[in-house]
Amino acid sequence: MLNNIKKDFNTMTWVLIPVAIAINIAIGQIVVTLKLPVFLDSVGTVLVGVLCGPWAGALTGALSNTIWGIAIDPNALPWWPVAFFIGLVSGFMAKGGWFKSWWKVVVTGFVVALTAAAASTPIAVYLFGGITASGSSFITAYLMQTGLGVFQAVFSTSFLVEPVDKITTAMLAFAIVQGLSRRFIARFPRPENVEDEGGANQTQLYIAIGVVVLLVLFAAFMLRNILGG
Amino acid sequence: MAMHERLSFYAKRDSILHRLNPLTKLTLVFGFVLISFFAPFYWTPHLLILSGVIPLSFTGKVAREYFNASLRLILPAAGFLFIMQALFQPLEGEELFRIGFLHPTKESVMFAFANAMRIFLMVSSFTLFLLTTHPSELMSDLTRRGLPGQFAYVIISTIQILPQMQAKAQTIISAQRSRGLDTQSSFLKRAGSLIPLVGPLVFGSLVEVEERAIAIEARGFTSTKTKTSLHEIPDTNSDKMIRWILAALVLISLALRLWLS
Amino acid sequence: MAIVNLQNVTYTYPLTHSPVLQNINLRVNEGQFVSIIGPNGAGKSTLCYTIAGFVPHFFKGELTGTVEVADNESSKSNLHEWVLNVGLAFQNPFNQISGAKYTVFEELAFGLENIGVPRDEMKVRVEDAMKLTGISDLADRSPYSLSGGQQQRVALTSILVMQPKVLVLDEPTSQMDPIGTREVFGVIRKLAEQGMTVILVEHKVEWIAQFADRVIALKDGQILLEGTPGEVLTSPILEQSGFGISRYTSVARKAQGIGLWKNDQLPVTLDEAVEGFALTPSPSPRGRGEQ
Ligand SMILES: Nc1ncnc2c1ncn2[C@@H]1O[C@H](COP(=O)(O)OP(=O)(O)OP(=O)(O)O)[C@@H](O)[C@H]1O
Ligand SMILES: [Mg+2]
């Protein structure tokens, strides 16, 4: 296992990681400039996870968050484990073949969102007592007012916010991979993760949109159950 | 750009703090942060800021830069956290006032203040560290102590690539603006403009990866020999002593917390 | 004695089907200066990568035949050992900056740190190499703040400090302006004078003619012509096969056609052309001024 991890860290990986971190931060800031209601601050992390394996993705996420915290917003600092798991899980999803077509990428994005929600909840609860410096804490505060426990309130909030962001992130990373030449991708440790499955792109895109709708419905349903319970 | 300044934070001076070993200063930062979390006294973070970080910024002859960064960057972030938590944290206790469903209590304000101060302490002591330690000095020292050389490469390379990337992003945004991109326009329009903004930025930086990998391989990046370092980073006995004292203080505050609770 | 020896080298990149290099045989003696020319896509860069070990170690793919440098065989070695035999510098100076260092001096020491050279020796080697390439005054500058020509000289120096036995340069001036080009060729001239074994891919044939002991013309992955600069660079085959040739050669060839160039040997550089035309008795001077 350790040897396999070592193989994932070839020179291409080490050179890609700083670029990926810069991509994370640059896209994150463009999104702020455009005033879009998403973060999109882990496109690079997902990219590394997919092309270089889970542990490289995890390292990218953790470093990215730390540097973001030092350079831009100190409040981002404590969240590095979330970014770590985003990289890790996208890497494992890609390894399992879940990054080869549009609709599969949507599922990957959803799983990454669940991971992010799960990883951020304990940090928000134990470090911040539930209310953080993020705008979505308005929702948490409201949910707590309605009598929900702090754990449930925080998790439901993430569950509401994360899927849109992470599915968009995964799709953006996929679009980037599609735009890279195969000979370039072949230099990275895991080119097999993004091998083309064939099939028309249009059809896949429609399926992807269908999956997004289903996932949103599923999320709403789950949320009602959590809130009801 | 604000970030550029922050990434090349280092202020070249001749001071005791600058001469300390980087690991010692790093221990100082982590020591302060851990103590502020462990020690079971409400005033710990405040005391550490007033009697630790701020005096040290004078010792390091970087007080002006330190206050500048604190006021412009750290205080707003800590302040925002304070307001959010003070208003929304539903802690039981003496109610201060009530607007709509908000009814901050004395307890929630106290809690929010301590948290904000911890964040302030964490970031401002790290800022002090960056002001007095050159990144390559830090990396040389950590590499000598066993950190894999590739990590040093990643950290410093990121610090240097990031401002270049941001400059490029800025160029692309202004180019798009002149072609009619309006950050006030409708949501769909703004979302649609994301791709033409991101595309050139991402692909432009990715194509460089292969050549840079070849260039550093050509210079023995993957060599299995034990790496040496151009810079000699002194590590004195007083450095070692400071590190041990800090470790002891952290343990004492942890013990106090376990003992008192 | 041949220091570089390629025998029957054929190479195919991964994911492709036809070979980019076919049956290449190439011997370079110690201290020789060999230039490679060829149209776009001829396989010049691939040949450089092959000698420098990146083919097949970095690019993978299928390599047959043998690549030997200083009696070691590439396929039996590791890339990180091979780079001590062969140094490689290429077109884009910006991408050759490691990014891991803040000053030129540190940048030059990067490779030596990686291969574990002791500190004192490191400093001496960096300073000597900087003197050789004339960049001592850049030592404390940031590599990112330099001009293209300066960056390329830093890239060259960063390879020279590694003290390779053979230096491979892939179009080091193709992205330079005339000033940068002159700066870089100034360094290359010094290396040639010092007796370094150099393999240089270059479009600018007028420069090649000044340094090269031997020129190799590559086309479609095969060696088309090989010989002294005078033979190869003025060969009519070049022009027919889509190579860029010196304008002085084409002018002289035209002149030869109408009897204005009397030498057997066609020129490549301006000096050679001037010299040649000076030998040719000019048509009887019935200029306007005389009448
Ligand atoms: N990584 C790669 N994978 C597959 N094919 C490649 C790769 N790199 C180059 N090629 C192909 O190999 C052939 C030779 O390329 P090479 O770069 O060696 O040519 P060149 O003579 O250096 O050209 P130029 O003058 O443009 O630099 C070209 O057809 C090119 O498309
Ligand atoms: Mg080429």
Side-chain angles (χ1 to χ4, degrees):
Chain A
M1 159 134 163
L2 215 67
N3 245 333
N4 274 338
I5 295 177
K6 235 184 178 167
K7 256 193 226 145
D8 280 346
F9 286 89
N10 68 16
T11 305
M12 287 295 277
T13 308
W14 289 114
V15 178
L16 179 64
I17 290 175
V19 174
I21 296 175
I23 288 177
N24 281 346
I25 296 179
I27 296 186
Q29 290 190 319
I30 290 179
V31 165
V32 172
T33 314
L34 292 180
K35 305 198 189 79
L36 294 176
V38 278
F39 306 114
L40 294 190
D41 54 2
S42 16
V43 177
T45 306
V46 173
L47 205 60
V48 176
V50 170
L51 293 177
C52 314
W55 299 100
L59 177 67
T60 310
L63 285 178
S64 182
N65 221 272
T66 311
I67 291 180
W68 183 290
I70 295 167
I72 300 164
D73 180 8
N75 284 319
L77 217 45
W79 304 97
W80 65 265
V82 182
F84 178 93
F85 281 110
I86 290 173
L88 192 74
V89 167
S90 52
F92 277 119
M93 288 301 285
K95 194 178 168 199
W98 288 91
F99 216 81
K100 295 190 180 181
S101 66
W102 285 102
W103 74 271
K104 287 183 177 174
V105 167
V106 171
V107 175
T108 298
F110 188 71
V111 174
V112 170
L114 289 188
T115 314
S120 60
T121 301
I123 300 176
V125 172
Y126 291 119
L127 210 61
F128 293 96
I131 302 298
T132 68
S134 145
S136 63
S137 284
F138 287 110
I139 307 174
T140 316
Y142 176 75
L143 291 176
M144 284 203 276
Q145 290 294 326
T146 65
L148 216 58
V150 56
F151 239 101
Q152 281 145 323
V154 170
F155 188 74
S156 320
T157 309
S158 318
F159 204 84
L160 274 176
V161 181
E162 295 287 354
V164 174
D165 182 47
K166 294 304 178 297
I167 291 175
T168 316
T169 300
M171 288 173 88
L172 213 53
F174 187 61
I176 292 171
V177 168
Q178 295 289 303
L180 298 172
S181 70
R182 289 180 62 210
R183 66 156 87 152
F184 178 69
I185 290 175
R187 298 280 94 77
F188 292 101
R190 294 181 177 237
E192 70 277 6
N193 281 354
V194 291
E195 255 160 29
D196 208 0
E197 274 200 329
N201 254 339
Q202 282 268 276
T203 338
Q204 284 178 10
L205 205 57
Y206 289 135
I207 301 179
I209 292 168
V211 175
V212 172
V213 173
L214 280 180
L215 286 179
V216 169
L217 287 179
F218 168 74
F221 173 75
M222 287 291 289
L223 205 62
R224 246 189 46 202
N225 275 2
I226 295 175
L227 292 186
Chain B
M1 218 177 289
M3 158 138 40
H4 190 104
E5 293 162 33
R6 295 217 63 193
L7 283 174
S8 45
F9 233 9
Y10 180 67
K12 197 171 175 194
R13 302 284 140 80
D14 183 25
S15 84
I16 306 173
L17 210 52
H18 283 75
R19 281 195 297 272
L20 277 186
N21 183 277
L23 184 68
T24 309
K25 286 181 267 187
L26 209 54
T27 317
L28 207 68
V29 173
F30 280 101
F32 278 4
V33 173
L34 289 177
I35 291 170
S36 83
F37 275 100
F38 288 157
F41 311 109
Y42 184 78
W43 38 262
T44 319
H46 320 155
L47 191 74
L48 284 175
I49 293 170
L50 288 177
S51 64
V53 186
I54 291 179
L56 279 176
S57 76
F58 283 98
T59 317
K61 300 183 183 163
V62 289
R64 210 165 51 91
E65 288 86 351
Y66 170 79
F67 282 110
N68 193 356
S70 303
L71 291 179
R72 278 191 314 136
L73 294 151
I74 312 172
L75 210 55
F80 184 61
L81 181 69
F82 170 71
I83 292 170
M84 289 291 288
Q85 292 205 324
L87 288 180
F88 294 127
Q89 197 67 259
L91 288 179
E92 295 304 315
E94 185 186 325
E95 199 173 299
L96 294 176
F97 58 89
R98 185 181 270 274
I99 320 168
F101 71 88
L102 302 173
H103 45 89
T105 59
K106 195 173 152 224
E107 277 68 20
S108 64
V109 170
M110 297 263 290
F111 174 85
F113 188 65
N115 258 344
M117 287 313 259
R118 267 194 209 109
I119 290 278
F120 187 90
L121 172 71
M122 187 165 19
V123 184
S124 77
S125 52
F126 209 81
T127 302
L128 184 61
F129 169 73
L130 293 179
L131 276 171
T132 55
T133 315
H134 194 280
S136 67
E137 212 180 294
L138 171 69
M139 286 305 148
S140 293
D141 192 54
L142 294 185
T143 311
R144 181 175 63 94
R145 295 176 198 275
L147 181 84
Q150 291 94 332
F151 278 86
Y153 170 80
V154 165
I155 303 280
I156 300 207
S157 181
T158 308
I159 297 178
Q160 302 214 66
I161 287 178
L162 198 50
Q164 294 168 19
M165 188 82 128
Q166 290 192 304
K168 255 190 249 168
Q170 219 51 53
T171 319
I172 296 173
I173 288 180
S174 2
Q176 294 287 334
R177 274 222 175 96
S178 67
R179 270 183 237 143
L181 165 72
D182 182 2
T183 50
Q184 310 296 332
S185 58
S186 78
F187 169 72
L188 274 181
K189 258 206 185 133
R190 280 178 285 138
S193 61
L194 189 63
I195 300 295
L197 285 180
V198 166
L201 194 67
V202 169
F203 290 113
S205 56
L206 283 177
V207 292
E208 292 171 3
V209 168
E210 182 171 305
E211 282 200 348
R212 197 167 303 128
I214 292 174
I216 62 174
E217 286 257 17
R219 288 154 71 190
F221 186 69
T222 48
S223 166
T224 46
K225 303 231 177 69
T226 314
K227 289 193 187 346
T228 47
S229 165
L230 173 66
H231 298 296
E232 187 173 12
I233 316 288
D235 193 10
T236 63
N237 280 333
S238 33
D239 274 304
K240 288 182 192 109
M241 207 168 69
I242 296 174
R243 292 203 291 266
W244 281 115
I245 291 175
L246 274 158
L249 286 176
V250 170
L251 285 179
I252 290 172
S253 54
L254 183 62
L256 276 176
R257 146 86 24 136
L258 295 175
W259 183 45
L260 287 181
S261 61
Chain C
M1 200 205 81
I3 187 159
V4 177
N5 191 357
L6 272 66
Q7 281 176 13
N8 291 320
V9 169
T10 298
Y11 174 69
T12 312
Y13 276 108
L15 309 171
T16 62
H17 303 292
S18 49
V20 188
L21 297 178
Q22 292 177 48
N23 260 314
I24 300 281
N25 287 292
L26 172 69
R27 290 167 67 91
V28 179
N29 288 338
E30 209 169 338
Q32 242 185 359
F33 195 115
V34 175
S35 249
I36 300 174
I37 56 172
N40 285 347
K44 305 180 297 291
S45 297
T46 309
L47 184 56
C48 289
Y49 289 140
T50 308
I51 300 167
F54 288 85
V55 163
H57 293 296
F58 181 83
F59 286 94
K60 311 290 186 255
E62 199 189 321
L63 179 78
T64 58
T66 55
V67 178
E68 282 179 0
V69 172
D71 295 325
N72 297 306
E73 204 187 319
S74 156
S75 60
K76 295 191 179 121
S77 175
N78 288 317
L79 186 51
H80 61 84
E81 288 162 7
W82 197 256
V83 296
L84 301 179
N85 288 326
V86 185
L88 172 71
F90 45 89
Q91 304 173 350
N92 186 329
F94 182 79
N95 288 348
Q96 292 178 82
I97 299 174
S98 72
K101 298 293 169 185
Y102 282 88
T103 67
V104 167
F105 199 100
E106 289 174 350
E107 174 76 12
L108 298 176
F110 176 67
L112 300 180
E113 291 180 327
N114 285 336
I115 59 171
V117 173
R119 183 174 299 129
D120 294 330
E121 187 189 335
M122 194 186 304
K123 285 183 180 158
V124 174
R125 272 163 78 163
V126 170
E127 270 158 16
D128 288 351
M130 283 197 304
K131 245 177 246 152
L132 178 67
T133 57
I135 57 167
S136 302
D137 52 327
L138 304 178
D140 295 323
R141 299 266 301 272
S142 159
Y144 288 105
S145 72
L146 306 177
S147 72
Q150 290 172 328
Q151 274 178 351
Q152 190 62 289
R153 281 190 289 161
V154 169
L156 272 174
T157 317
S158 73
I159 293 301
L160 284 176
V161 290
M162 311 277 290
Q163 299 178 345
K165 302 188 180 89
V166 177
L167 195 60
V168 177
L169 309 173
D170 186 2
E171 302 194 43
T173 67
S174 70
Q175 301 192 357
M176 310 279 109
D177 56 13
I179 295 172
T181 303
R182 208 168 319 127
E183 285 175 3
V184 172
F185 270 112
V187 174
I188 294 176
R189 164 172 294 145
K190 270 205 178 148
L191 296 176
E193 283 165 7
Q194 296 230 330
M196 181 91 196
T197 311
V198 179
I199 297 172
L200 169 72
V201 173
E202 185 55 66
H203 278 304
K204 296 167 182 148
V205 285
E206 289 133 55
W207 285 102
I208 296 179
Q210 296 180 30
F211 308 112
D213 300 315
R214 198 144 63 92
V215 177
I216 291 167
L218 201 66
K219 177 148 207 244
D220 298 330
Q222 286 169 314
I223 294 181
L224 186 68
L225 284 176
E226 187 174 352
T228 64
E231 289 163 10
V232 175
L233 296 175
T234 59
S235 158
I237 301 174
L238 281 197
E239 210 167 355
Q240 292 151 18
S241 315
F243 286 66
I245 62 161
S246 158
R247 55 189 148 165
Y248 305 113
T249 313
S250 15
V251 167
R253 184 169 291 135
K254 282 249 166 68
Q256 198 176 33
I258 55 173
L260 286 179
W261 181 269
K262 296 285 194 293
N263 266 2
D264 287 339
Q265 177 66 44
L266 290 174
V268 180
T269 63
L270 175 61
D271 288 347
E272 286 168 359
V274 169
E275 222 169 86
F277 278 117
L279 283 181
T280 313
S282 41
S284 48
R286 275 180 281 123
R288 265 171 247 133
E290 289 231 330
Q291 283 196 330

